[in-house]
Amino acid sequence: MKAAFLRAHGGLDKVEYGDVPAPVAGPGQVRVRVRAAALNHLDIFVRNGIPGISLAFPHVMGADGAGTVESLGPGATRLKEGDEVVLNPGISCGACEFCLRGEHSLCVTFHLIGEHVAGTFAELVVVPAVNAGPKPKGLSWEEAAAFPLTFLTAWRMLVTKARVKPGESLLVIGIGGGVSLAALQIAKALGLVVGVTSGSAEKLARARELGADFGIDHATADFSREVRLITGKRGVDIVLDSVGKATWKRSIASLARGGRLLTCGATTGPDPEEDVARIFWNQLTVYGSTMGTHAEFADMLRMVAAGRVRPVVDKVFPLSAAREALRRLEEARQFGKIVLAVD
Ligand SMILES: [Zn+2]
């Protein structure tokens, strides 16, 4: 089968396109004919090499995908051939103490499609049957591939961790990436007041079109001061910061008393300066979050299927141009998800 894959870790030049052996569905797994796959920062981390993870090369990249069930492994009975599905990228063992609590993304062997195992940048991918959910009918294949990882991540942070309520205020740091746009859309659908930051006037304008209530240019202004001006010195109830080192302290300074800070990543570095006094005095809560559970995936999928949120597709490349697609992601030029079409 055709695939975008790695034979070694390194830069963009290590991303190859060509033929690799097709995967075979084992017990409880299904083989899916991929129609579209979407890029995530994870793909860049995997390409560069993640400490502690050794891959079997050639390694097919890609965590997000949508397609049709092509064949079923032994014991995979819930689905049938031809079913149109979207894939939950998180794979859990189902048997550890955290899985038994239903906390699948805390699983002791938790891993993602395309991270430790072969991914979606291919004509065929094998996944556990429980990871295949119904494709929302109103979405194109490109849109269907564009939302699982980021919408699941944003859903868990906002709904399960922060337990957001209608009317609360949320500030999303760095609008334009997949998780930040998913958070903006989900939060607006849940009735929150949402502000966004970006260094790009164009991205701020596009976020306003998607429903953002206010936008702050974080390239020219200290966004925490702007937040205080906009909220009459109060601050916002929730900040979502997956940027890390470059913005963390200002994110904390943007919170109202009793506020919640959400993080699912640290693209500018994992070791920010910390304002501990502000955390205890203002009684702030920091929530770390990764991916989500099967139940959260199902809940999120219902909201997408109901048409209350719609994934934003930045640009579609053919699978053969995976290297160019990854370059666009690495240069942070996208607004929304970069998708690979697979025929
Ligand atoms: Zn487990």
Side-chain angles (χ1 to χ4, degrees):
M1 66 169 185
K2 296 290 185 205
F5 62 93
L6 305 168
R7 278 187 223 275
H9 293 298
L12 276 171
D13 60 311
K14 295 291 189 286
V15 180
E16 298 183 41
Y17 173 77
D19 288 297
V20 296
V24 177
Q29 295 181 322
V30 293
R31 189 159 83 166
V32 173
R33 185 162 290 283
V34 180
R35 299 295 302 271
L39 276 61
N40 290 284
H41 279 281
L42 173 74
D43 304 314
I44 296 171
F45 301 145
V46 168
R47 193 200 65 206
N48 290 339
I50 299 173
I53 298 179
S54 53
L55 297 178
F57 294 114
H59 175 75
V60 177
M61 309 171 73
D64 267 326
T68 54
V69 174
E70 186 259 358
S71 60
L72 284 74
T77 53
R78 192 175 55 84
L79 296 159
K80 58 184 191 307
E81 287 174 21
D83 282 354
E84 299 189 340
V85 294
V86 294
L87 306 181
N88 175 351
I91 298 176
S92 49
C93 76
C96 73
E97 66 167 300
F98 302 100
C99 283
L100 293 177
R101 280 189 220 160
E103 286 287 0
H104 304 112
S105 61
L106 287 175
C107 175
V108 294
T109 63
F110 189 72
H111 58 281
L112 302 182
I113 297 171
E115 183 188 35
H116 300 46
V117 295
T120 56
F121 294 177
E123 291 177 316
L124 295 163
V125 65
V126 161
V127 300
V130 290
N131 283 64
K135 170 187 169 283
K137 288 189 169 40
L139 299 188
S140 68
W141 285 113
E142 287 78 13
E143 290 170 319
F147 75 87
L149 187 150
T150 53
F151 275 67
L152 176 61
T153 302
W155 180 274
R156 178 170 172 85
M157 283 194 288
L158 294 171
V159 176
T160 307
K161 297 288 185 179
R163 297 175 188 230
V164 297
K165 299 181 198 73
E168 287 193 311
S169 50
L170 166 71
L171 182 70
V172 181
I173 309 300
I175 200 71
V179 171
S180 61
L181 282 172
L184 164 60
Q185 291 192 287
I186 291 170
K188 285 311 298 177
L190 295 173
L192 275 73
V193 176
V194 184
V196 299
T197 80
S198 174
S200 155
E202 190 193 337
K203 289 182 179 181
L204 289 173
R206 299 216 33 205
R208 294 295 290 263
E209 288 168 19
L210 286 170
D213 297 279
F214 61 91
I216 300 171
D217 183 342
H218 66 207
T220 57
D222 173 348
F223 66 81
S224 65
R225 287 179 191 275
E226 294 290 314
V227 167
R228 296 282 160 189
L229 283 173
I230 291 166
T231 60
K233 295 186 182 173
R234 178 184 180 275
V236 292
D237 297 301
I238 306 131
V239 173
L240 197 173
D241 183 337
S242 56
V243 176
K245 188 165 187 163
T247 52
W248 190 257
K249 200 171 176 189
R250 286 176 178 175
S251 289
I252 289 174
S254 300
L255 283 166
R257 289 163 179 266
R260 296 97 95 194
L261 181 61
L262 304 171
T263 175
C264 63
T267 50
T268 59
D271 52 349
E273 198 183 336
E274 190 70 272
D275 190 344
V276 175
R278 196 184 276 270
I279 290 176
F280 68 72
W281 187 251
N282 285 347
Q283 303 187 44
L284 308 179
T285 307
V286 178
Y287 290 100
S289 194
T290 294
M291 300 296 293
T293 69
H294 287 301
E296 288 160 343
F297 189 72
D299 288 343
M300 177 278 291
L301 207 49
R302 269 195 292 277
M303 182 185 247
V304 178
R308 296 183 63 204
V309 290
R310 192 171 195 106
V312 179
V313 173
D314 169 70
K315 195 169 180 190
V316 180
F317 292 82
L319 177 60
S320 57
R323 188 186 292 175
E324 285 65 43
L326 281 159
R327 178 176 289 122
R328 183 172 176 82
L329 178 66
E330 211 150 12
E331 291 171 354
R333 284 158 58 202
Q334 83 282 9
F335 187 89
K337 296 296 285 182
I338 301 168
V339 175
L340 300 174
V342 186
D343 8 85

